[in-house]
Short mmCIF file of all heavy atoms in Angstrom, two decimals:
data_model
loop_
_atom_site.label_atom_id
_atom_site.label_comp_id
_atom_site.label_asym_id
_atom_site.label_seq_id
_atom_site.Cartn_x
_atom_site.Cartn_y
_atom_site.Cartn_z
N MET A 677 79.60 63.74 -71.80
CA MET A 677 79.62 62.95 -70.58
C MET A 677 79.17 63.78 -69.37
O MET A 677 79.44 64.96 -69.28
CB MET A 677 81.07 62.41 -70.33
CG MET A 677 81.28 61.67 -69.08
SD MET A 677 82.99 61.26 -68.81
CE MET A 677 83.07 61.69 -67.09
N ASP A 678 78.52 63.15 -68.44
CA ASP A 678 78.04 63.84 -67.23
C ASP A 678 79.24 64.17 -66.37
O ASP A 678 79.92 63.25 -65.83
CB ASP A 678 77.07 62.88 -66.48
CG ASP A 678 76.42 63.58 -65.32
OD1 ASP A 678 76.86 64.68 -64.98
OD2 ASP A 678 75.57 62.99 -64.73
N THR A 679 79.51 65.44 -66.23
CA THR A 679 80.70 65.84 -65.47
C THR A 679 80.57 65.51 -63.99
O THR A 679 81.51 65.50 -63.24
CB THR A 679 81.02 67.33 -65.65
OG1 THR A 679 79.83 68.08 -65.44
CG2 THR A 679 81.53 67.59 -67.06
N GLN A 680 79.31 65.33 -63.53
CA GLN A 680 79.16 64.92 -62.12
C GLN A 680 79.77 63.59 -61.86
O GLN A 680 80.14 63.31 -60.72
CB GLN A 680 77.65 64.95 -61.76
CG GLN A 680 77.12 66.35 -61.55
CD GLN A 680 75.82 66.33 -60.72
OE1 GLN A 680 75.01 65.43 -60.85
NE2 GLN A 680 75.67 67.29 -59.93
N LEU A 681 79.83 62.79 -62.91
CA LEU A 681 80.55 61.45 -62.77
C LEU A 681 81.96 61.65 -62.26
O LEU A 681 82.52 60.82 -61.58
CB LEU A 681 80.58 60.79 -64.12
CG LEU A 681 79.54 59.72 -64.37
CD1 LEU A 681 79.71 59.18 -65.79
CD2 LEU A 681 79.66 58.58 -63.38
N LEU A 682 82.59 62.76 -62.64
CA LEU A 682 84.00 63.03 -62.27
C LEU A 682 84.17 63.04 -60.79
O LEU A 682 85.23 62.73 -60.29
CB LEU A 682 84.42 64.34 -62.90
CG LEU A 682 84.89 64.29 -64.33
CD1 LEU A 682 85.24 65.71 -64.75
CD2 LEU A 682 86.11 63.41 -64.46
N ASP A 683 83.11 63.40 -60.07
CA ASP A 683 83.22 63.47 -58.62
C ASP A 683 83.37 62.12 -57.99
O ASP A 683 83.95 61.99 -56.93
CB ASP A 683 81.97 64.17 -58.01
CG ASP A 683 81.93 65.64 -58.41
OD1 ASP A 683 82.98 66.21 -58.74
OD2 ASP A 683 80.81 66.19 -58.32
N ILE A 684 82.94 61.07 -58.65
CA ILE A 684 83.01 59.76 -58.07
C ILE A 684 84.05 58.90 -58.75
O ILE A 684 84.48 57.90 -58.23
CB ILE A 684 81.63 59.01 -58.13
CG1 ILE A 684 81.06 59.00 -59.54
CG2 ILE A 684 80.68 59.65 -57.18
CD1 ILE A 684 79.91 58.00 -59.68
N LEU A 685 84.51 59.35 -59.98
CA LEU A 685 85.46 58.56 -60.65
C LEU A 685 86.90 58.86 -60.11
O LEU A 685 87.24 60.02 -59.99
CB LEU A 685 85.43 58.89 -62.13
CG LEU A 685 84.30 58.22 -62.95
CD1 LEU A 685 84.36 58.70 -64.38
CD2 LEU A 685 84.48 56.73 -62.89
N VAL A 686 87.65 57.82 -59.84
CA VAL A 686 89.02 57.99 -59.51
C VAL A 686 89.84 57.02 -60.32
O VAL A 686 89.35 56.07 -60.91
CB VAL A 686 89.28 57.72 -58.01
CG1 VAL A 686 88.57 58.75 -57.13
CG2 VAL A 686 88.87 56.31 -57.61
N CYS A 687 91.15 57.29 -60.36
CA CYS A 687 92.03 56.41 -61.11
C CYS A 687 92.05 55.04 -60.41
O CYS A 687 92.22 54.93 -59.18
CB CYS A 687 93.44 57.03 -61.09
SG CYS A 687 94.71 55.92 -61.75
N PRO A 688 91.86 53.97 -61.18
CA PRO A 688 91.85 52.66 -60.58
C PRO A 688 93.22 52.19 -60.09
O PRO A 688 93.28 51.28 -59.29
CB PRO A 688 91.38 51.73 -61.77
CG PRO A 688 91.75 52.52 -62.99
CD PRO A 688 91.61 53.96 -62.62
N ILE A 689 94.25 52.89 -60.47
CA ILE A 689 95.59 52.50 -60.07
C ILE A 689 95.99 53.23 -58.75
O ILE A 689 96.30 52.59 -57.77
CB ILE A 689 96.61 52.74 -61.15
CG1 ILE A 689 96.30 51.91 -62.41
CG2 ILE A 689 98.02 52.48 -60.68
CD1 ILE A 689 97.12 52.28 -63.62
N CYS A 690 95.90 54.55 -58.78
CA CYS A 690 96.37 55.30 -57.64
C CYS A 690 95.25 55.89 -56.81
O CYS A 690 95.47 56.50 -55.79
CB CYS A 690 97.33 56.43 -58.09
SG CYS A 690 96.50 57.72 -59.03
N LYS A 691 94.03 55.67 -57.23
CA LYS A 691 92.85 56.18 -56.56
C LYS A 691 92.79 57.73 -56.51
O LYS A 691 92.08 58.31 -55.65
CB LYS A 691 92.69 55.62 -55.14
CG LYS A 691 92.88 54.13 -55.04
CD LYS A 691 91.81 53.37 -55.78
CE LYS A 691 92.01 51.86 -55.62
NZ LYS A 691 91.29 51.10 -56.62
N GLY A 692 93.58 58.33 -57.36
CA GLY A 692 93.66 59.80 -57.39
C GLY A 692 92.58 60.39 -58.27
O GLY A 692 91.90 59.64 -59.01
N PRO A 693 92.44 61.73 -58.23
CA PRO A 693 91.44 62.38 -59.06
C PRO A 693 91.80 62.34 -60.54
O PRO A 693 92.99 62.32 -60.90
CB PRO A 693 91.43 63.81 -58.51
CG PRO A 693 92.81 64.00 -57.92
CD PRO A 693 93.21 62.62 -57.43
N LEU A 694 90.85 62.45 -61.38
CA LEU A 694 91.02 62.43 -62.79
C LEU A 694 90.61 63.77 -63.45
O LEU A 694 89.76 64.44 -62.95
CB LEU A 694 90.18 61.30 -63.44
CG LEU A 694 90.59 59.90 -63.04
CD1 LEU A 694 89.49 58.90 -63.48
CD2 LEU A 694 91.89 59.51 -63.61
N HIS A 695 91.29 64.12 -64.49
CA HIS A 695 91.00 65.35 -65.19
C HIS A 695 90.33 64.97 -66.48
O HIS A 695 90.85 64.16 -67.27
CB HIS A 695 92.34 66.09 -65.45
CG HIS A 695 92.17 67.23 -66.44
ND1 HIS A 695 91.53 68.41 -66.12
CD2 HIS A 695 92.53 67.36 -67.73
CE1 HIS A 695 91.55 69.21 -67.15
NE2 HIS A 695 92.13 68.59 -68.18
N TYR A 696 89.18 65.60 -66.71
CA TYR A 696 88.42 65.27 -67.94
C TYR A 696 88.89 66.16 -69.12
O TYR A 696 88.79 67.38 -69.03
CB TYR A 696 86.95 65.55 -67.60
CG TYR A 696 86.01 65.31 -68.78
CD1 TYR A 696 86.25 64.37 -69.74
CD2 TYR A 696 84.86 66.11 -68.92
CE1 TYR A 696 85.34 64.14 -70.79
CE2 TYR A 696 83.95 65.95 -69.94
CZ TYR A 696 84.21 64.92 -70.88
OH TYR A 696 83.36 64.76 -71.93
N ASP A 697 89.43 65.49 -70.13
CA ASP A 697 89.80 66.21 -71.30
C ASP A 697 88.69 66.10 -72.29
O ASP A 697 88.45 65.06 -72.99
CB ASP A 697 91.07 65.54 -71.92
CG ASP A 697 91.64 66.35 -73.07
OD1 ASP A 697 90.82 67.03 -73.75
OD2 ASP A 697 92.86 66.32 -73.35
N LYS A 698 87.88 67.15 -72.37
CA LYS A 698 86.64 67.18 -73.18
C LYS A 698 86.97 66.96 -74.68
O LYS A 698 86.29 66.28 -75.35
CB LYS A 698 85.98 68.53 -72.98
CG LYS A 698 84.46 68.45 -73.08
CD LYS A 698 83.86 69.79 -72.63
CE LYS A 698 82.32 69.67 -72.48
NZ LYS A 698 81.75 70.85 -71.89
N LYS A 699 88.06 67.63 -75.10
CA LYS A 699 88.41 67.59 -76.53
C LYS A 699 88.79 66.17 -76.97
O LYS A 699 88.32 65.69 -77.95
CB LYS A 699 89.56 68.57 -76.73
CG LYS A 699 89.50 69.35 -78.03
CD LYS A 699 90.77 70.16 -78.18
CE LYS A 699 90.49 71.51 -78.79
NZ LYS A 699 91.73 72.34 -78.80
N ALA A 700 89.64 65.63 -76.14
CA ALA A 700 90.16 64.26 -76.50
C ALA A 700 89.20 63.12 -76.05
O ALA A 700 89.41 61.98 -76.46
CB ALA A 700 91.54 64.05 -75.87
N GLN A 701 88.22 63.52 -75.24
CA GLN A 701 87.31 62.53 -74.66
C GLN A 701 88.09 61.46 -73.90
O GLN A 701 88.04 60.23 -74.17
CB GLN A 701 86.43 61.89 -75.75
CG GLN A 701 85.30 62.82 -76.21
CD GLN A 701 84.32 63.07 -75.09
OE1 GLN A 701 83.62 62.24 -74.59
NE2 GLN A 701 84.27 64.34 -74.62
N GLU A 702 88.91 61.95 -73.00
CA GLU A 702 89.75 61.11 -72.18
C GLU A 702 89.72 61.59 -70.74
O GLU A 702 89.52 62.75 -70.48
CB GLU A 702 91.18 61.09 -72.67
CG GLU A 702 91.38 60.37 -73.94
CD GLU A 702 92.80 60.44 -74.49
OE1 GLU A 702 93.50 61.44 -74.22
OE2 GLU A 702 93.26 59.56 -75.20
N LEU A 703 89.94 60.65 -69.84
CA LEU A 703 90.11 61.05 -68.44
C LEU A 703 91.59 60.87 -68.08
O LEU A 703 92.17 59.79 -68.26
CB LEU A 703 89.26 60.12 -67.54
CG LEU A 703 87.77 60.39 -67.62
CD1 LEU A 703 86.98 59.28 -66.90
CD2 LEU A 703 87.40 61.79 -67.03
N ILE A 704 92.20 61.89 -67.65
CA ILE A 704 93.61 61.93 -67.49
C ILE A 704 93.99 61.77 -66.00
O ILE A 704 93.47 62.47 -65.12
CB ILE A 704 94.26 63.29 -67.94
CG1 ILE A 704 93.74 63.66 -69.33
CG2 ILE A 704 95.77 63.23 -67.90
CD1 ILE A 704 94.21 62.85 -70.43
N CYS A 705 94.91 60.84 -65.70
CA CYS A 705 95.49 60.75 -64.36
C CYS A 705 96.89 61.36 -64.48
O CYS A 705 97.78 60.82 -65.15
CB CYS A 705 95.58 59.29 -63.88
SG CYS A 705 96.45 59.19 -62.32
N ASN A 706 97.05 62.52 -63.81
CA ASN A 706 98.33 63.17 -63.85
C ASN A 706 99.42 62.43 -63.08
O ASN A 706 100.58 62.56 -63.41
CB ASN A 706 98.21 64.61 -63.35
CG ASN A 706 97.45 65.49 -64.38
OD1 ASN A 706 97.75 65.41 -65.56
ND2 ASN A 706 96.54 66.31 -63.90
N ALA A 707 99.01 61.69 -62.08
CA ALA A 707 99.96 60.96 -61.25
C ALA A 707 100.59 59.82 -62.03
O ALA A 707 101.81 59.60 -61.96
CB ALA A 707 99.27 60.48 -59.98
N ASP A 708 99.76 59.11 -62.70
CA ASP A 708 100.23 57.93 -63.49
C ASP A 708 100.56 58.22 -64.95
O ASP A 708 101.10 57.37 -65.63
CB ASP A 708 99.16 56.82 -63.44
CG ASP A 708 98.98 56.24 -62.05
OD1 ASP A 708 99.98 55.93 -61.40
OD2 ASP A 708 97.84 56.15 -61.62
N LYS A 709 100.19 59.48 -65.35
CA LYS A 709 100.39 59.87 -66.77
C LYS A 709 99.68 58.85 -67.69
O LYS A 709 100.25 58.34 -68.66
CB LYS A 709 101.91 59.94 -67.11
CG LYS A 709 102.66 60.89 -66.28
CD LYS A 709 102.45 62.31 -66.75
CE LYS A 709 103.29 63.29 -65.97
NZ LYS A 709 102.52 64.26 -65.18
N LEU A 710 98.43 58.60 -67.34
CA LEU A 710 97.58 57.72 -68.12
C LEU A 710 96.33 58.44 -68.55
O LEU A 710 95.81 59.29 -67.82
CB LEU A 710 97.24 56.43 -67.37
CG LEU A 710 98.36 55.46 -67.10
CD1 LEU A 710 97.82 54.33 -66.20
CD2 LEU A 710 98.85 54.82 -68.41
N ALA A 711 95.86 58.09 -69.79
CA ALA A 711 94.62 58.70 -70.26
C ALA A 711 93.63 57.56 -70.47
O ALA A 711 93.89 56.65 -71.31
CB ALA A 711 94.87 59.47 -71.55
N TYR A 712 92.52 57.58 -69.79
CA TYR A 712 91.49 56.57 -69.95
C TYR A 712 90.49 57.07 -70.98
O TYR A 712 89.97 58.20 -70.90
CB TYR A 712 90.79 56.31 -68.63
CG TYR A 712 91.71 55.80 -67.55
CD1 TYR A 712 92.35 56.67 -66.70
CD2 TYR A 712 91.99 54.42 -67.46
CE1 TYR A 712 93.23 56.18 -65.71
CE2 TYR A 712 92.86 53.96 -66.51
CZ TYR A 712 93.48 54.79 -65.68
OH TYR A 712 94.39 54.34 -64.70
N PRO A 713 90.24 56.26 -72.00
CA PRO A 713 89.30 56.72 -73.05
C PRO A 713 87.86 56.69 -72.58
O PRO A 713 87.47 55.95 -71.68
CB PRO A 713 89.54 55.62 -74.13
CG PRO A 713 89.96 54.40 -73.41
CD PRO A 713 90.73 54.91 -72.19
N ILE A 714 87.09 57.58 -73.23
CA ILE A 714 85.63 57.63 -72.99
C ILE A 714 84.97 57.16 -74.31
O ILE A 714 85.18 57.85 -75.31
CB ILE A 714 85.20 59.03 -72.57
CG1 ILE A 714 85.88 59.41 -71.25
CG2 ILE A 714 83.62 59.04 -72.42
CD1 ILE A 714 85.68 60.89 -70.92
N ARG A 715 84.23 56.08 -74.27
CA ARG A 715 83.62 55.55 -75.45
C ARG A 715 82.11 55.61 -75.28
O ARG A 715 81.59 55.04 -74.34
CB ARG A 715 84.05 54.15 -75.73
CG ARG A 715 85.59 54.13 -75.98
CD ARG A 715 86.04 52.81 -76.58
NE ARG A 715 87.47 52.77 -76.64
CZ ARG A 715 88.24 51.78 -76.15
NH1 ARG A 715 87.69 50.75 -75.59
NH2 ARG A 715 89.53 51.86 -76.21
N ASP A 716 81.44 56.35 -76.22
CA ASP A 716 80.02 56.47 -76.14
C ASP A 716 79.56 57.01 -74.78
O ASP A 716 78.56 56.61 -74.24
CB ASP A 716 79.30 55.14 -76.41
CG ASP A 716 79.63 54.63 -77.86
OD1 ASP A 716 79.77 55.47 -78.75
OD2 ASP A 716 79.74 53.39 -78.03
N GLY A 717 80.37 57.93 -74.26
CA GLY A 717 79.98 58.57 -72.99
C GLY A 717 80.36 57.72 -71.76
O GLY A 717 80.02 58.09 -70.65
N ILE A 718 80.95 56.59 -71.97
CA ILE A 718 81.25 55.67 -70.87
C ILE A 718 82.78 55.62 -70.67
O ILE A 718 83.47 55.22 -71.58
CB ILE A 718 80.72 54.26 -71.14
CG1 ILE A 718 79.17 54.32 -71.32
CG2 ILE A 718 81.12 53.31 -69.98
CD1 ILE A 718 78.60 53.05 -71.91
N PRO A 719 83.25 56.08 -69.49
CA PRO A 719 84.66 56.01 -69.23
C PRO A 719 85.15 54.56 -69.11
O PRO A 719 84.52 53.73 -68.44
CB PRO A 719 84.81 56.70 -67.87
CG PRO A 719 83.46 57.33 -67.57
CD PRO A 719 82.44 56.59 -68.41
N ILE A 720 86.22 54.28 -69.84
CA ILE A 720 86.80 52.94 -69.78
C ILE A 720 87.92 52.92 -68.71
O ILE A 720 89.02 53.39 -69.01
CB ILE A 720 87.37 52.54 -71.17
CG1 ILE A 720 86.33 52.78 -72.30
CG2 ILE A 720 87.76 51.02 -71.19
CD1 ILE A 720 85.04 52.03 -72.20
N MET A 721 87.57 52.49 -67.57
CA MET A 721 88.52 52.60 -66.48
C MET A 721 89.36 51.35 -66.26
O MET A 721 89.48 50.78 -65.19
CB MET A 721 87.75 52.91 -65.16
CG MET A 721 86.82 54.14 -65.25
SD MET A 721 87.75 55.61 -65.81
CE MET A 721 88.85 55.75 -64.41
N TRP A 722 89.97 50.88 -67.34
CA TRP A 722 90.85 49.77 -67.26
C TRP A 722 92.23 50.18 -67.57
O TRP A 722 92.48 50.82 -68.60
CB TRP A 722 90.41 48.67 -68.20
CG TRP A 722 89.05 48.08 -67.87
CD1 TRP A 722 88.50 47.92 -66.62
CD2 TRP A 722 88.10 47.55 -68.78
NE1 TRP A 722 87.22 47.37 -66.77
CE2 TRP A 722 87.00 47.13 -68.07
CE3 TRP A 722 88.04 47.43 -70.18
CZ2 TRP A 722 85.83 46.59 -68.63
CZ3 TRP A 722 86.94 46.88 -70.76
CH2 TRP A 722 85.84 46.44 -70.00
N ALA A 723 93.21 49.78 -66.78
CA ALA A 723 94.59 50.20 -67.00
C ALA A 723 95.08 49.72 -68.34
O ALA A 723 95.90 50.43 -69.02
CB ALA A 723 95.43 49.71 -65.85
N ASP A 724 94.64 48.57 -68.78
CA ASP A 724 95.16 48.06 -70.05
C ASP A 724 94.55 48.71 -71.25
O ASP A 724 95.00 48.52 -72.41
CB ASP A 724 95.05 46.53 -70.12
CG ASP A 724 93.57 46.05 -70.13
OD1 ASP A 724 92.68 46.90 -69.84
OD2 ASP A 724 93.34 44.87 -70.31
N GLN A 725 93.50 49.53 -71.03
CA GLN A 725 92.91 50.28 -72.12
C GLN A 725 93.46 51.72 -72.13
O GLN A 725 93.17 52.47 -73.02
CB GLN A 725 91.38 50.36 -71.94
CG GLN A 725 90.74 48.99 -72.09
CD GLN A 725 90.72 48.52 -73.54
OE1 GLN A 725 90.25 49.20 -74.42
NE2 GLN A 725 91.20 47.33 -73.78
N ALA A 726 94.16 52.10 -71.09
CA ALA A 726 94.61 53.46 -70.93
C ALA A 726 95.78 53.76 -71.86
O ALA A 726 96.61 52.90 -72.16
CB ALA A 726 95.01 53.77 -69.48
N ARG A 727 95.85 55.02 -72.21
CA ARG A 727 96.95 55.48 -73.09
C ARG A 727 98.07 56.04 -72.20
O ARG A 727 97.82 56.81 -71.29
CB ARG A 727 96.42 56.57 -74.01
CG ARG A 727 97.39 57.02 -75.11
CD ARG A 727 96.63 57.79 -76.17
NE ARG A 727 96.04 59.05 -75.66
CZ ARG A 727 96.73 60.19 -75.54
NH1 ARG A 727 97.97 60.24 -75.91
NH2 ARG A 727 96.14 61.28 -75.13
N ASP A 728 99.30 55.57 -72.52
CA ASP A 728 100.42 56.04 -71.71
C ASP A 728 100.92 57.40 -72.23
O ASP A 728 101.36 57.50 -73.36
CB ASP A 728 101.54 54.98 -71.83
CG ASP A 728 102.77 55.26 -70.95
OD1 ASP A 728 102.77 56.40 -70.36
OD2 ASP A 728 103.65 54.47 -70.84
N LEU A 729 100.77 58.38 -71.37
CA LEU A 729 101.17 59.77 -71.79
C LEU A 729 102.67 59.99 -71.79
O LEU A 729 103.12 60.97 -72.32
CB LEU A 729 100.46 60.79 -70.88
CG LEU A 729 98.93 60.76 -70.92
CD1 LEU A 729 98.39 61.74 -69.87
CD2 LEU A 729 98.40 61.08 -72.29
N THR A 730 103.42 59.12 -71.15
CA THR A 730 104.85 59.31 -71.08
C THR A 730 105.58 58.85 -72.30
O THR A 730 106.61 59.34 -72.62
CB THR A 730 105.42 58.64 -69.83
OG1 THR A 730 105.11 57.23 -69.90
CG2 THR A 730 104.82 59.24 -68.57
N SER A 731 105.02 57.82 -72.95
CA SER A 731 105.73 57.30 -74.14
C SER A 731 105.30 58.13 -75.33
O SER A 731 104.17 58.65 -75.40
CB SER A 731 105.33 55.85 -74.36
OG SER A 731 103.96 55.73 -74.59
N PRO A 732 106.17 58.30 -76.32
CA PRO A 732 105.84 59.10 -77.48
C PRO A 732 104.66 58.46 -78.20
O PRO A 732 104.49 57.24 -78.27
CB PRO A 732 107.10 58.93 -78.37
CG PRO A 732 108.13 58.30 -77.55
CD PRO A 732 107.46 57.68 -76.35
N ALA A 733 103.80 59.33 -78.74
CA ALA A 733 102.60 58.83 -79.39
C ALA A 733 102.92 57.94 -80.52
O ALA A 733 103.63 58.30 -81.48
CB ALA A 733 101.75 60.04 -79.84
N ALA A 734 102.48 56.71 -80.45
CA ALA A 734 102.81 55.77 -81.45
C ALA A 734 102.24 56.11 -82.87
O ALA A 734 102.82 55.76 -83.85
CB ALA A 734 102.36 54.37 -81.04
N ASP A 735 101.10 56.79 -82.81
CA ASP A 735 100.45 57.14 -84.08
C ASP A 735 100.88 58.49 -84.61
O ASP A 735 100.47 58.89 -85.69
CB ASP A 735 98.93 57.04 -83.96
CG ASP A 735 98.41 57.87 -82.83
OD1 ASP A 735 99.24 58.50 -82.13
OD2 ASP A 735 97.20 57.98 -82.64
N ALA A 736 101.71 59.20 -83.86
CA ALA A 736 102.12 60.52 -84.31
C ALA A 736 103.38 60.46 -85.16
O ALA A 736 103.48 61.14 -86.16
CB ALA A 736 102.43 61.40 -83.09
N ALA A 737 104.29 59.60 -84.81
CA ALA A 737 105.51 59.46 -85.58
C ALA A 737 105.91 57.97 -85.62
O ALA A 737 105.85 57.28 -84.62
CB ALA A 737 106.65 60.27 -84.90
N PRO A 738 106.37 57.54 -86.75
CA PRO A 738 106.83 56.17 -86.87
C PRO A 738 108.07 55.91 -86.04
O PRO A 738 108.92 56.78 -85.96
CB PRO A 738 107.09 55.94 -88.37
CG PRO A 738 107.19 57.29 -88.92
CD PRO A 738 106.52 58.28 -88.00
N ALA A 739 108.13 54.77 -85.41
CA ALA A 739 109.33 54.45 -84.63
C ALA A 739 110.52 54.29 -85.51
O ALA A 739 110.43 53.77 -86.62
CB ALA A 739 109.09 53.21 -83.82
N ALA A 740 111.63 54.73 -85.02
CA ALA A 740 112.85 54.68 -85.83
C ALA A 740 113.32 53.20 -85.97
O ALA A 740 113.21 52.46 -85.01
CB ALA A 740 113.96 55.49 -85.19
ZN1 LIG B 1281 96.43 57.24 -61.23
#
């Protein structure tokens, strides 16, 4: 992904800066604890597509 895009991309919820997680291909908002996925080099900046970083990873461990 073009990292220059990061200069113009902000979180759609809090309008704060995003951190690019190259490994996970996600844009992280530390304020909202949300991770926006990057698909085919295109950041998906929709809150309903974002991964909630505060909740336990659903795919990591089965819910009790
Ligand atoms: Zn945010």
Side-chain angles (χ1 to χ4, degrees):
M677 176 186 136
D678 185 353
T679 49
Q680 283 201 322
L681 259 179
L682 276 178
D683 292 339
I684 54 167
L685 281 176
V686 295
C687 172
I689 297 171
C690 68
K691 313 295 183 199
L694 295 167
H695 168 73
Y696 177 34
D697 188 333
K698 210 169 191 174
K699 219 186 218 174
Q701 284 296 296
E702 288 176 331
L703 290 170
I704 312 291
C705 175
N706 286 317
D708 292 312
K709 302 281 185 242
L710 288 174
Y712 298 93
I714 299 169
R715 296 194 188 127
D716 299 324
I718 300 166
I720 312 296
M721 303 307 295
W722 295 328
D724 63 350
Q725 294 287 307
R727 188 164 63 84
D728 186 351
L729 297 176
T730 57
S731 61
D735 54 358

